[in-house]
């Protein structure tokens, strides 16, 4: 075939370019997404000399098309002839890095970062670095914003003169008069610090960090907090106190709650970065303040970090710090006015028991767990219950079971079905920890009640819950406790409940085994094939298909087959369909 | 053929329905129903902990002291009013809150009627008092998914004082004795920046006062004008490209509307850039409906100033035309009609082709409100006259959609409107109309053929890719 070797004449560029120019955006988008195919058809030479110039010149399109283009160009190195020619991709990406739409710009920067690695050191200085400089001194804020993300990828591989220039550009952008650019610079500050020589971290980055951390806009200041983590990791311990801590202390008490929130949110990282000594002297009081902050947002973010913070405290006096400094704040949070704060705390508080050990847990934490188990907000109770395993390891769940039960019952009947759904999901876990006796006595009724919930999602979850319980407690338990109840529902006047019987059988047959399935379940299913509701009948067909593999061939031939045959001539077309499907899957034809 | 069926019954007659339990409420109801109508209020984020009670020493009324002593007393009262109270605690400092309220009231009256009170020393004290009271970190919004169209706004708890402070400040700015040349030392860029941040307040009453304040400042401080415009720019750009959240966009646009009105001709490059790079992208924001009227007003103001901007504006709107949100599409069509109302025929010709390609898509929208809004253009006499003048260009663009819709649209009202439009076209240019009707079928066939060719082309290209991919693992020899 003539085209086997990529006969270029078969695919004149005009036709391909026509595709890229099509009036219909969707078609343009499709062609751009297959740009690599077009390039492949053209060959590397023509891709470089014809396709790329075309793309560079015609960059005015819908953002969606530009986004696809920016992404494609990041993977284009081989298509223009390998690393030797990779710089050909720079012009279109440069234009894309200046467009307004953030996602397009970000994607262009991502692609530029990617292909920067494919440049030789010489090309980096000859082609890439000048592009960064042009962007950094662009008129409109978009190009300067993009430049911020490119400094760190070229810095390590250029000569020291160029390095000095790059540092200078970064400095300039950190004090740009548009806040958008300062935000971009602040968000790349940590990343840039990491590639700088330590002396420049001290002489260049620290002043920038200090300046950005006291910017007039809180949206800039809060980004400096993020950079603080990387910068603190880079500096030797003895410099932290003078270079970083003044700024960090100031951030923890910033007048804007957004900044304080960021500090709370990054607390574990900050703690690791500054080390145990500073943690003890500075961060413990700061953390106490955040836990008592006037804004609920900040308190919730800090409450989320309680466990991690305590875990990472230096072991020598961890217990003492927790008991005398952190626990008093935690006690207050248990009765906070804001439910998000309480629920954030409830999601981590149980973790403290492993850190504090049995005696402290019983004396100090248990009362808090019990209070939270009675909280008015279901999410708080739920978070406690979902973390029971931590306590179980330390003091055993028995200590809690008295309070646990009312909490579980209340959640099981909560008006919001999502809450009910969440508690169902913890049932297998609870059953395992509380034991079969407790379960039969107290929780079994709940599990069965969910099967007739008025929300389908709950009935469905209740069904799969039963399977998990049977896996835990065994077939015999199933036969005695749940199978009779499930089968009893087959006579319910509500067809939805009758269908639930079928769904349960589908889920349970395998776990219960051939004996129970054949003797107890199958007769019920077969009987339901006469149901007056078509939905029930076609679910009978589906159930038979599902439990067929568990049955022996005798039962299949003598009992299942006749029923399916009858259903396959049902008046309802769906019943017919599923009956026929079952017959063919079970090979009964 | 068919997948699993959802559980609701089809055989309704035979299925006994379970009675839905009434007391159980699930999370699907509309927000407005779910949330009991409660007045939420918020306070600034500045009260970190309750301190001791505040004591202010009561001062005599201004009118009770001799005139020469009044300026001195005025200053003292301003200083007292710098004290800020915690209004979330409704029980604390009740007496002192009342005292401050009456003092503020007195100050409002005083700046309105008195003469000779504005000494040079008063300026810094006034600005200080205003700053202490109004500048604060706004608290977090009550929920992330605050929906300004559905949810009640959160009201500022300290409004009883705040309102009077704003009132006082406006009277001060409007006072005959007010001298910008002295005030500019205190009402500076930093002051304006903080003022602009307050526009994010959730309390509409506060935003309304801010609007007046900013307008006065823009009017009286020529040196701050460029700065104010630039900062509004930044707020909008951040709103469009970063956060999509800012409560005061409509208010800022309202101020801009009157600012644009006052621009001198020819327009500076800075102003044109603002139009194309800030106002047009504002159309992309999800919450457009909250400020669309003000935005459209600004756009039309620009076009009335300088008609040559029509082309970039319409191209911009076409670029950001909503793809999935029909409500926004209706808003765009409304704005476009406002623009067409003032368009010059020479400008219209420049933009008619892409414009009517979009209108033709709108007319055939399955959402009848979109189709209807677009078809209403044909009721607009001025637009009709423009279409008539250029029917030889517009009719071929519109014809296929109209013809198809007249046969296929599900909504009879739309079909009726389309018939009218077709009739109008027929009367305008019957020769062309007949021609298009005659070639409709063959045109469609040609389109289908083109479609097929395209598919074949791509198939060939893919085969090629496969072959080459297999041969050299993606690396292409030349």
């Amino acid at each position: 075939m003539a085209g086997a070797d990529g006969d270029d004449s078969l695919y004149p560029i005009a036709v391909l370019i026509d595709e890229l120019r099509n009036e219909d955006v969707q078609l343009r988008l499709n062609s751009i997404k297959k740009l690599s195919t077009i390039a492949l058809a053209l060959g590397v030479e023509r891709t470089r000399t014809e396709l790329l110039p075309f793309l560079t010149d015609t960059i005015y399109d819908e953002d969606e098309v530009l986004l696809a283009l920016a992404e494609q160009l990041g993977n284009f190195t081989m298509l223009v002839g390998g690393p030797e020619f990779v710089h050909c991709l720079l012009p279109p990406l440069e234009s894309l890095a200046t467009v307004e739409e953030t996602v397009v710009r970000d994607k262009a920067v991502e692609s530029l970062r990617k292909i920067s690695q494919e440049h030789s050191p010489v090309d980096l200085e000859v082609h890439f670095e000048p592009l960064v400089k042009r962007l950094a001194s662009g008129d409109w804020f978009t190009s300067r914003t993009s430049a911020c993300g490119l400094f760190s990828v070229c810095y390590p591989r250029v000569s020291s003169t160029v390095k000095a220039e790059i540092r200078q550009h970064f400095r300039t952008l950190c004090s740009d008069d548009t806040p958008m650019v300062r935000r971009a610079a602040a968000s790349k500050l940590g990343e840039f610090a990491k590639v700088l020589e330590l002396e420049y971290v001290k002489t260049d980055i620290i002043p920038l960090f200090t300046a950005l951390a006291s910017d007039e806009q809180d949206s800039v200041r809060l980004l400096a907090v993020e950079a603080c983590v990387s910068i603190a990791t880079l500096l030797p311990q003895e410099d932290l106190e003078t270079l970083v801590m003044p700024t960090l202390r100031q951030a923890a008490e910033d007048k804007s709650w957004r900044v304080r929130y960021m500090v709370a949110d990054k607390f574990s990282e900050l703690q690791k970065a500054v080390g145990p000594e500073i943690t003890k002297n500075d961060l413990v009081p700061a953390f106490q303040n955040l836990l008592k902050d006037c804004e609920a947002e900040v308190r919730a973010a800090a409450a989320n970090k309680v466990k991690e913070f305590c875990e990472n405290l230096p072991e020598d006096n961890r217990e003492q710090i927790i008991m005398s400094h952190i626990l008093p704040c935690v006690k207050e949070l248990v009765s906070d006015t804001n439910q998000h704060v309480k629920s954030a705390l409830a999601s981590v508080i149980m973790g403290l028991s492993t850190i504090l050990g049995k005696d402290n847990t019983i004396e100090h934490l248990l009362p808090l767990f019990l209070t939270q188990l009675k909280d008015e907000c279901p999410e708080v109770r739920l978070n406690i219950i979902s973390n029971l395993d931590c306590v179980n390891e330390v003091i055993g769940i028995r200590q809690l079971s008295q309070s646990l039960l009312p909490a579980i019952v209340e959640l099981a009947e909560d008006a919001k079905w999502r809450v009910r759904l969440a508690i169902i999901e913890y049932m297998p876990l609870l059953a395992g920890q509380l034991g079969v006796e407790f379960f039969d006595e107290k929780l079994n009724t709940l599990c069965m009640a969910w099967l007739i919930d008025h929300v389908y999602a709950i009935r469905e979850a209740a069904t799969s819950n039963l399977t998990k319980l049977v896996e835990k407690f065994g077939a015999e338990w199933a036969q005695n406790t749940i199978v009779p109840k499930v089968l009893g529902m087959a006579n319910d006047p509500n067809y939805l409940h009758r269908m639930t019987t079928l769904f349960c059988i589908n889920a349970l047959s395998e776990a219960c085994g051939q004996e129970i399935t054949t003797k107890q379940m199958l007769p019920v299913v077969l009987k339901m094939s006469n149901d007056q509701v078509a939905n029930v009948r076609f679910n009978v067909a589906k159930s038979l298909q599902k439990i067929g593999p568990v049955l022996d061939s005798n039962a299949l031939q003598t009992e299942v087959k006749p029923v399916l045959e009858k259903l396959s001539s049902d008046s309802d077309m769906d019943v017919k369909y599923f009956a026929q499907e079952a017959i063919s899957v079970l090979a009964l034809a | 053929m068919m997948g699993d069926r959802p559980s609701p019954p089809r055989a309704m007659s035979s299925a006994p329905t379970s009675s839905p339990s009434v007391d159980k409420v699930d999370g699907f109801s509309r927000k407005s129903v779910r949330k009991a109508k409660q007045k939420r209020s918020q306070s600034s984020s500045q009260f970190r902990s309750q301190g001791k009670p505040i004591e202010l020493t009561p001062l005599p009324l201004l009118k009770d002291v001799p005139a020469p002593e009044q300026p001195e007393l005025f200053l003292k009262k301003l200083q007292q009013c710098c004290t800020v109270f915690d209004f979330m605690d409704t029980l604390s400092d009740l007496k002192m809150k009342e005292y401050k309220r009456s003092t503020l009231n007195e100050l409002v009256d005083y700046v309105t009627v008195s003469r000779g009170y504005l000494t040079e020393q008063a300026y810094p004290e006034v600005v200080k008092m205003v700053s202490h009271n109004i500048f604060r970190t706004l608290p977090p919004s009550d929920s992330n998914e605050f929906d300004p169209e559905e949810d009640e706004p959160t009201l500022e708890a300290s409004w009883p004082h705040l309102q009077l402070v704003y009132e006082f400040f406006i009277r001060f700015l409007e006072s005959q004795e007010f001298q910008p040349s002295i005030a500019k030392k205190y009402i500076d860029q930093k002051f304006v920046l903080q003022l602009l941040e307050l526009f994010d307040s959730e309390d509409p009453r506060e935003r309304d006062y801010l609007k007046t304040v900013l307008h006065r400042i823009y009017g009286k401080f020529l040196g701050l004008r460029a700065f104010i415009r630039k900062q509004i720019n930044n707020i909008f750009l951040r709103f469009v490209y970063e956060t999509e959240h800012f409560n005061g966009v409509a208010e800022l646009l309202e101020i801009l509307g009157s600012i644009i009105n006052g621009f001198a001709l020819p327009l500076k490059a800075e102003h044109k850039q603002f139009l194309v790079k800030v106002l047009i992208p504002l159309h992309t924001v999800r919450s457009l409906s909250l400020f669309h009227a003000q935005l459209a007003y600004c756009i039309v103001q620009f076009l009335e100033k300088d008609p040559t901007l029509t082309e970039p504006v319409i191209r911009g709107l076409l670029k950001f035309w909503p793809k999935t949100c029909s409500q926004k599409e209706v808003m765009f069509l409304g704005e476009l009609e406002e623009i067409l109302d003032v368009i010059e025929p020479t400008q219209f010709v420049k933009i008619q082709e892409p414009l009517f390609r979009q209108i033709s898509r709108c007319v055939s929208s399955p959402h009848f409100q979109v189709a209807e809004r677009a078809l209403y253009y044909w009721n607009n006499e001025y637009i009709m006259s423009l279409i008539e003048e250029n029917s030889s260009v517009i009719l071929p663009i519109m014809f296929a959609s109209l013809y198809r819709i007249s046969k296929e649209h599900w909504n009879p009202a739309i079909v009726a409107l389309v018939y009218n439009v077709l009739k109008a076209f027929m009367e305008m240019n019957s020769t062309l109309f007949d021609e298009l009707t005659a070639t409709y079928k063959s045109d469609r066939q040609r389109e289908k053929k083109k479609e097929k060719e395209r598919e074949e082309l791509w198939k060939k290209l893919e085969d090629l890719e496969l072959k080459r991919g297999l041969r050299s693992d993606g690396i292409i020899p030349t």
Side-chain angles (χ1 to χ4, degrees):
Chain A
M1 196 182 143
D5 221 346
D7 184 349
D8 294 347
S9 60
L10 266 180
Y11 313 105
I13 186 146
V15 178
L16 299 175
I17 283 179
D18 251 10
E19 285 293 290
L20 293 170
R21 270 196 191 133
N22 198 298
E23 219 176 80
D24 184 340
V25 192
Q26 194 53 51
L27 291 176
R28 285 204 305 277
L29 192 59
N30 290 346
S31 339
I32 282 283
K33 283 188 175 156
K34 290 179 188 160
L35 200 61
S36 57
T37 314
I38 297 181
L40 202 57
L42 291 173
V44 294
E45 181 89 37
R46 296 184 69 195
T47 300
R48 286 198 302 266
T49 55
E50 294 175 53
L51 182 63
L52 286 174
F54 164 76
L55 291 172
T56 314
D57 291 343
T58 54
I59 293 182
Y60 175 86
D61 202 332
E62 306 237 356
D63 293 326
E64 215 180 335
V65 178
L66 297 184
L67 176 67
L69 177 59
E71 187 171 11
Q72 289 274 319
L73 291 178
N75 302 318
F76 241 57
T77 309
M78 283 308 167
L79 296 163
V80 291
E84 206 183 322
F85 296 99
V86 66
H87 59 85
C88 298
L89 299 172
L90 296 179
L93 282 171
E94 181 174 356
S95 306
L96 288 167
T98 63
V99 303
E100 258 76 26
E101 179 49 53
T102 324
V103 287
V104 176
R105 234 183 314 134
D106 288 350
K107 191 53 90 179
V109 170
E110 196 186 311
S111 289
L112 279 168
R113 286 169 71 113
K114 206 162 161 188
I115 64 168
S116 73
Q117 303 307 320
E118 284 154 354
H119 281 69
S120 67
V122 177
D123 280 348
L124 206 61
E125 279 194 26
V126 176
H127 299 286
F128 198 88
E129 203 270 339
L131 169 145
V132 179
K133 272 197 253 175
R134 278 195 300 278
L135 289 174
S137 41
D139 279 341
W140 190 241
F141 79 97
T142 51
S143 71
R144 303 201 297 280
T145 310
S146 294
C148 293
L150 296 173
F151 294 120
S152 66
V153 291
C154 49
Y155 190 84
R157 292 168 62 215
V158 292
S159 66
S160 56
T161 359
V162 180
K163 280 184 174 175
E165 284 175 30
I166 292 180
R167 288 196 305 274
Q168 179 54 43
H169 277 291
F170 193 79
R171 267 200 299 276
T172 315
L173 294 182
C174 282
S175 53
D176 197 279
D177 70 339
T178 61
M180 286 80 78
V181 178
R182 293 204 303 281
R183 277 195 287 277
S187 68
K188 299 294 177 195
L189 186 65
E191 176 190 293
F192 189 54
K194 281 186 192 158
V195 299
L196 247 58
E197 298 79 357
L198 184 59
E199 49 172 319
Y200 293 122
V201 173
K202 291 188 198 172
T203 57
D204 281 41
I205 297 292
I206 294 295
L208 296 175
F209 167 62
T210 317
L212 291 168
S214 43
D215 195 276
E216 61 200 8
Q217 304 242 339
D218 61 359
S219 53
V220 179
R221 294 203 297 279
L222 65 87
L223 292 168
V225 175
E226 272 190 294
C228 187
V229 177
S230 327
I231 294 172
T233 326
L234 295 171
L235 291 173
Q237 191 70 33
E238 65 268 21
D239 288 328
L240 287 176
E241 182 51 49
T242 48
L243 299 181
V244 175
M245 286 315 291
T247 309
L248 181 56
R249 278 188 211 112
Q250 178 195 320
E253 294 184 347
D254 197 283
K255 68 181 195 312
S256 162
W257 61 270
R258 288 186 187 86
V259 180
R260 301 198 303 275
Y261 172 89
M262 197 56 147
V263 175
D265 195 48
K266 297 275 167 229
F267 218 82
S268 307
E269 287 96 323
L270 288 167
Q271 182 187 13
K272 281 181 204 148
V274 298
E277 268 318 299
I278 296 182
T279 298
K280 253 188 272 180
N281 301 331
D282 269 285
L283 294 195
V284 172
F287 193 58
Q288 284 175 293
N289 283 337
L290 293 170
L291 288 172
K292 289 187 228 155
D293 198 277
C294 62
E295 285 303 344
E297 259 75 2
V298 181
R299 290 199 302 279
N304 256 322
K305 302 287 166 187
V306 164
K307 183 192 154 203
E308 258 182 278
F309 181 74
C310 293
E311 245 170 13
N312 296 329
L313 284 169
E315 259 178 72
D316 47 347
N317 46 4
R318 178 162 75 184
E319 187 174 322
Q320 182 260 326
I321 295 177
I322 298 177
M323 296 304 291
S324 53
H325 295 99
I326 307 298
L327 205 58
C329 303
V330 168
K331 280 183 181 156
E332 275 178 50
L333 291 181
V334 164
S335 46
D336 198 278
T337 49
N338 183 291
Q339 65 172 48
H340 298 294
V341 177
K342 287 187 289 188
S343 126
L345 182 68
S347 67
V348 296
I349 191 174
M350 311 289 270
L352 291 179
S353 47
T354 24
I355 306 172
L356 288 177
K358 187 170 176 182
D359 293 339
N360 279 327
T361 301
I362 295 179
E363 191 182 339
H364 299 284
L365 294 177
L366 197 57
L368 304 181
F369 299 159
L370 295 177
T371 315
Q372 292 218 296
L373 265 180
K374 294 190 196 90
D375 199 277
E376 53 178 10
C377 163
E379 210 184 332
V380 176
R381 284 174 265 146
L382 210 52
N383 281 347
I384 291 287
I385 291 174
S386 60
N387 287 297
L388 280 175
D389 45 341
C390 316
V391 203
N392 197 25
E393 287 159 23
V394 183
I395 57 169
I397 209 165
R398 291 281 164 181
Q399 297 265 13
L400 276 171
S401 54
Q402 279 316 308
S403 316
L404 210 47
L405 194 62
I408 293 173
V409 172
E410 213 177 304
L411 288 169
E413 291 167 352
D414 195 277
K416 294 198 178 67
W417 67 267
R418 282 175 215 279
V419 174
R420 301 200 295 278
L421 184 63
I423 188 77
I424 295 177
E425 275 158 13
Y426 293 115
M427 271 299 149
L429 179 77
L430 286 171
Q433 285 172 0
L434 292 167
V436 65
E437 218 168 291
F438 186 91
F439 184 87
D440 278 347
E441 193 180 324
K442 319 272 188 187
L443 300 179
N444 196 18
T445 346
L446 286 180
C447 291
M448 301 314 291
W450 281 319
L451 288 174
I452 51 169
D453 197 279
H454 67 287
V455 174
Y456 178 73
I458 301 295
R459 298 196 299 273
E460 191 188 27
T463 310
S464 74
N465 174 45
L466 288 185
T467 320
K468 286 182 200 144
L469 291 174
V470 174
E471 279 163 9
K472 233 177 199 110
F473 294 150
E476 198 183 329
W477 175 82
Q479 191 175 6
N480 294 329
T481 46
I482 59 172
V483 172
K485 289 186 195 166
V486 165
L487 297 181
M489 284 162 54
N491 300 317
D492 197 285
N494 185 332
Y495 88 101
L496 292 172
H497 298 170
R498 299 202 293 279
M499 292 216 300
T500 306
T501 298
L502 291 172
F503 297 147
C504 286
I505 288 173
N506 293 348
L508 291 172
S509 63
E510 208 170 318
C512 288
Q514 197 185 56
E515 167 97 13
I516 302 177
T517 309
T518 318
K519 291 216 172 113
Q520 301 187 18
M521 297 178 173
L522 183 61
V524 176
V525 179
L526 295 174
K527 197 173 145 226
M528 290 170 83
S529 67
N530 298 318
D531 201 285
Q532 53 193 348
V533 178
N535 289 47
V536 176
R537 293 201 302 280
F538 78 64
N539 272 297
V540 166
K542 285 163 90 175
S543 284
L544 289 173
Q545 180 183 332
K546 181 91 199 260
I547 65 173
V550 186
L551 304 169
D552 62 31
S553 61
N554 183 33
L556 277 176
Q557 288 299 334
T558 59
E559 301 185 67
V560 175
K561 193 178 172 186
V563 170
L564 283 177
E565 275 167 353
K566 186 189 73 187
L567 291 175
S568 67
S569 55
D570 198 277
S571 61
D572 184 277
M573 69 180 244
D574 294 333
V575 177
K576 261 193 234 169
Y577 173 79
F578 286 109
Q580 278 156 6
E581 190 181 75
I583 288 172
S584 81
V585 170
L586 296 174
L588 295 175
Chain B
M1 174 184 129
M2 68 176 346
D4 281 14
R5 250 197 298 190
S7 39
R10 292 166 319 146
M12 288 298 275
S13 54
S14 56
T17 45
S18 67
S19 64
S21 54
V22 185
D23 54 327
K24 296 200 172 181
V25 182
D26 275 317
F28 286 118
S29 52
R30 282 166 71 86
K31 262 192 189 170
S32 49
V33 182
R34 218 158 65 230
K35 275 191 195 156
K37 282 263 181 307
Q38 72 215 38
K39 274 262 156 63
R40 286 176 305 133
S41 69
Q42 63 179 19
S43 182
S44 81
S45 178
Q46 59 198 338
F47 297 98
R48 309 206 58 174
S49 57
Q50 269 71 22
K52 0 180 211 323
I54 296 165
E55 271 309 324
L56 300 175
T57 328
L59 297 169
L61 292 178
L62 283 159
K63 66 175 166 51
D64 293 346
V65 300
E69 290 170 29
Q70 281 182 4
E72 183 65 28
L73 184 58
F74 178 60
L75 292 188
K76 275 195 186 147
K77 293 201 173 222
L78 284 173
Q79 280 153 11
Q80 273 194 337
C81 288
C82 287
T83 315
V84 180
F85 292 90
D86 180 0
F87 273 82
M88 287 312 267
D89 185 346
T90 47
L91 296 174
S92 69
D93 306 312
L94 284 178
K95 253 201 180 132
M96 286 301 120
K97 281 178 186 164
E98 174 53 27
Y99 171 69
K100 180 175 169 183
R101 201 190 59 80
S102 63
T103 308
L104 283 169
N105 258 326
E106 190 193 3
L107 292 176
V108 171
D109 291 341
Y110 187 68
V111 292
T112 321
V113 297
S114 303
R115 294 284 169 268
Y117 73 97
L118 256 185
T119 58
E120 247 189 272
Q121 298 102 296
Y123 285 88
E125 292 302 325
V126 168
V127 175
K128 193 173 131 204
M129 190 278 276
V130 171
S131 308
H132 267 85
N133 278 282
I134 67 171
F135 293 153
R136 62 210 193 279
T137 309
L138 295 170
S141 179
D142 216 31
S143 66
N144 293 334
E145 38 185 328
F146 176 73
D147 175 355
E149 284 188 313
E150 284 238 345
D151 297 338
E152 287 273 312
T154 312
L155 299 178
E156 175 59 47
S158 62
W159 192 243
H161 286 174
L162 210 51
Q163 175 177 23
L164 293 171
V165 175
Y166 278 117
E167 195 67 51
F168 167 78
F169 191 42
I170 291 170
R171 304 282 176 98
F172 166 76
L173 291 169
E174 288 173 348
S175 152
Q176 287 177 336
E177 298 189 0
F178 178 77
Q179 291 181 333
S181 54
I182 304 175
K184 73 177 182 199
K185 270 186 266 172
Y186 312 104
I187 298 180
D188 52 5
Q189 296 193 345
K190 190 161 187 270
F191 184 93
V192 168
L193 206 58
Q194 289 174 279
L195 196 69
L196 284 167
E197 272 174 29
L198 289 177
F199 274 84
D200 194 21
S201 167
E202 268 190 39
D203 193 328
R205 301 168 303 181
E206 177 166 24
R207 296 201 303 270
D208 210 49
Y209 270 106
L210 284 164
K211 194 172 66 187
T212 316
V213 170
L214 186 66
H215 206 173
R216 294 294 170 273
I217 293 179
Y218 191 89
K220 293 193 190 266
F221 298 85
L222 304 186
L224 285 173
R225 287 184 177 181
F227 180 78
I228 292 175
R229 288 198 306 268
K230 195 159 118 202
Q231 294 311 321
I232 295 181
N233 244 318
N234 289 340
I235 288 177
F236 285 170
L237 288 168
R238 178 171 185 221
F239 172 64
V240 174
Y241 294 116
E242 294 181 12
T243 60
E244 287 223 346
H245 182 91
F246 192 84
N247 289 312
V249 176
E251 284 82 2
L252 290 175
L253 283 169
E254 217 171 297
I255 299 174
L256 282 168
S258 66
I259 293 178
I260 295 165
N261 213 335
F263 282 162
L265 287 171
L267 289 175
K268 285 190 206 161
E270 174 213 328
H271 300 326
K272 292 187 190 171
Q273 191 181 49
F274 172 67
L275 170 68
V276 176
K277 298 219 172 192
V278 183
L279 288 186
I280 298 289
L282 266 179
H283 287 86
T284 60
V285 177
R286 210 168 2 154
S287 54
L288 177 68
S289 62
L290 296 175
F291 53 85
H292 182 251
Q294 291 84 349
L295 179 58
Y297 178 79
C298 287
I299 301 272
V300 174
Q301 287 291 305
F302 261 113
L303 299 186
E304 288 198 297
K305 284 259 163 195
D306 182 354
T308 62
L309 292 168
T310 312
E311 186 178 344
V313 164
I314 293 185
R315 282 198 190 274
L317 287 180
L318 293 177
K319 180 178 170 189
F320 296 131
W321 201 271
K323 303 273 186 307
T324 51
C325 181
S326 315
Q327 280 149 309
K328 271 176 81 172
E329 224 176 333
V330 173
M331 285 184 248
F332 270 57
L333 285 164
E335 181 172 349
L336 207 50
E337 183 163 3
E338 281 181 54
I339 294 172
L340 290 173
D341 271 332
V342 299
I343 201 167
E344 287 184 1
T346 47
Q347 299 298 326
F348 180 82
V349 177
K350 285 188 201 162
I351 197 70
Q352 57 182 349
E353 285 178 56
L355 176 63
F356 276 86
R357 269 197 293 276
Q358 181 59 54
I359 293 175
S360 138
R361 276 194 286 275
C362 292
V363 162
S364 50
S365 167
H367 195 299
F368 82 97
Q369 284 175 336
V370 175
E372 186 181 60
R373 188 66 193 82
L375 289 164
Y376 280 165
Y377 282 12
W378 273 262
N379 294 342
N380 182 314
E381 271 177 44
Y382 182 60
I383 298 179
M384 268 304 265
S385 70
L386 291 168
I387 294 177
E388 188 159 8
E389 267 167 55
N390 301 286
S391 62
S392 58
V393 180
I394 294 171
L395 182 50
I397 298 174
M398 294 293 303
F399 185 79
S401 301
L402 292 173
Y403 193 83
R404 193 164 49 79
I405 290 302
S406 71
K407 303 239 182 299
E408 288 175 6
H409 205 282
W410 62 272
N411 184 307
I414 297 297
V415 175
L417 283 169
V418 165
Y419 270 120
N420 286 338
V421 171
L422 282 171
K423 208 172 123 224
F425 271 127
M426 200 153 52
E427 283 161 10
M428 269 175 212
N429 195 337
S430 59
T431 344
L432 182 57
F433 191 90
D434 292 342
E435 226 170 86
L436 288 167
T437 320
T439 56
Y440 179 80
K441 266 210 180 118
S442 56
D443 283 352
R444 296 294 80 75
Q445 271 163 357
R446 216 175 45 236
E447 268 170 30
K448 267 189 197 146
K449 200 171 150 233
K450 240 179 136 183
E451 182 65 30
K452 228 175 153 189
E453 281 170 6
R454 167 177 305 113
E455 264 168 38
E456 272 162 22
L457 170 74
W458 282 107
K459 218 169 152 272
K460 264 198 226 158
L461 286 175
E462 265 152 34
D463 289 348
L464 176 82
E465 188 173 36
L466 270 180
K467 257 183 222 138
R468 288 200 172 169
L470 282 178
R471 203 176 61 195
S472 50
D473 220 11
I475 299 162
I476 317 110
T478 32

